[in-house]
Amino acid sequence: MAAPEILYLVINLPRAEARRTAIFRQAEALGITNLHVVPAVAGHDLPADLSSCGYDAAKRRKAFSKDLLPNEIACAMSHRKALQTFLESAADYAVILEDDAIFAPHFNEGIRELVEHLQGWQVAKLYTAEGKLYPITTLCADAPVQPVFPKKLPWVAVGYLYTRAAAQHLHRRMQQFWLPADAQIGKYLLDDAIPTIGIAPGLILSGDPNNEQSTLDTTGERRQSAPKRTLMQYLTYRAGVLRMAFGKKRMRSLMQKRLSRR
């Protein structure tokens, strides 16, 4: 049987040449020859009518008092674009990276474990360096990496591995968004129970874990205090937090039942 084809994609702004060069050097060192750039959408290039981009301002304002920044909208669109690029290819799997990703030394071994030996998952979060990790199964005790469930699943979208089935579903759902890319991806994975795991030790590290070099908010606007939520916005937000907590518990239970090793 032929080995599965894996497409490696990195989301990168055309002007961010230093980041692009750095990640290609890393890929070359690991022998990854099919890393391709997905030109990121720039916030300053967005049309006046943001609804045409898929941004749902009305849904955003149900729980938040402040809209997403243009660069945050563009980031969500860039992840959607990367999913589309994968679906237009003939690959079986896609690793989708942000351009500040750092490959762990055991990256190749971890990817092989996922695509060749572990079954039952459709999405694997490759960055799991922050927060608590819950064990899922003991079937992989002798494997180079372990499947886990990250408590902070919705945070940080610097590296994901997708099957075609998951990418098709997520690409359709991402036609509408109102949260930052990482939170929106995490929400859809949990809400729709798309079989998702994390990896320990993580296969990707973030070159900017504290967002000190983030290009999403160069003026510091997001860090400024937002208008106070109305009572209805607060209640809607809290309901969303509770749904996410339930979704995490459901996902952990689902993956404990689904995962097996070839």
Side-chain angles (χ1 to χ4, degrees):
M1 186 174 63
E5 181 181 351
I6 306 171
L7 179 65
Y8 296 84
L9 300 173
V10 56
I11 299 169
N12 172 258
L13 283 167
R15 67 174 183 270
E17 185 176 351
R19 289 190 177 195
R20 186 163 60 252
T21 298
I23 199 164
F24 269 88
R25 283 177 177 166
Q26 292 184 70
E28 182 181 5
L30 289 174
I32 297 171
T33 59
N34 61 335
L35 176 63
H36 302 278
V37 171
V38 177
V41 179
H44 57 72
D45 290 334
L46 298 181
D49 179 13
L50 294 177
S51 64
S52 66
C53 303
Y55 177 60
D56 192 332
K59 188 164 286 190
R60 173 76 184 177
R61 286 306 179 101
K62 286 183 178 180
F64 299 92
S65 60
K66 196 171 186 178
D67 278 313
L68 289 182
L69 301 175
N71 283 346
E72 290 176 312
I73 295 172
C75 180
M77 294 171 65
S78 297
H79 277 270
R80 187 175 67 195
K81 184 178 180 181
L83 290 167
Q84 182 175 339
T85 301
F86 168 35
L87 295 174
E88 290 173 350
S89 77
D92 303 295
Y93 299 88
V95 173
I96 296 181
L97 307 168
E98 295 182 346
D99 61 6
D100 62 339
I102 296 175
F103 295 101
H106 56 282
F107 177 84
N108 287 337
E109 292 84 353
I111 294 295
R112 281 198 296 270
E113 169 68 19
L114 285 165
V115 303
E116 296 178 9
H117 301 297
L118 196 63
Q119 56 189 5
W121 62 275
Q122 292 186 9
V123 179
K125 183 175 182 179
L126 305 180
Y127 174 79
T128 51
E130 294 182 344
K132 188 172 183 179
L133 303 177
Y134 298 97
I136 294 178
T137 178
T138 58
L139 296 175
C140 306
D142 298 326
V145 294
Q146 305 296 313
V148 295
F149 187 79
K151 182 177 182 180
K152 290 190 174 183
L153 173 67
W155 283 267
V156 189
V158 69
Y160 271 104
L161 172 64
Y162 296 99
T163 64
R164 292 193 70 86
Q168 288 169 347
H169 186 106
L170 192 57
H171 179 262
R172 176 178 58 81
R173 291 287 266 147
M174 287 292 288
Q175 298 308 307
Q176 183 190 53
F177 62 91
W178 59 96
L179 299 171
D182 56 349
Q184 193 71 68
I185 290 171
K187 174 177 172 57
Y188 284 147
L189 294 178
L190 294 172
D191 284 358
D192 300 346
I194 300 175
T196 302
I197 58 173
I199 298 299
L203 303 187
I204 291 293
L205 303 176
S206 174
D208 184 24
N210 299 315
N211 279 335
E212 294 175 353
Q213 303 170 34
S214 174
T215 58
L216 295 182
D217 185 18
T218 55
T219 64
E221 183 178 347
R222 176 58 64 209
R223 295 189 294 272
Q224 298 173 8
S225 59
K228 189 175 181 180
R229 286 190 179 103
T230 65
L231 177 60
M232 186 57 66
Q233 285 175 329
Y234 175 77
L235 293 175
T236 301
Y237 170 77
R238 293 304 304 173
V241 171
L242 290 174
R243 279 197 302 272
M244 186 166 287
F246 172 77
K248 290 177 183 178
K249 290 183 179 180
R250 180 177 63 172
M251 184 66 74
R252 285 173 59 194
S253 177
L254 172 68
M255 298 316 301
Q256 286 170 347
K257 297 173 184 177
R258 285 183 57 99
L259 281 185
S260 61
R261 196 163 188 265
R262 298 183 181 94

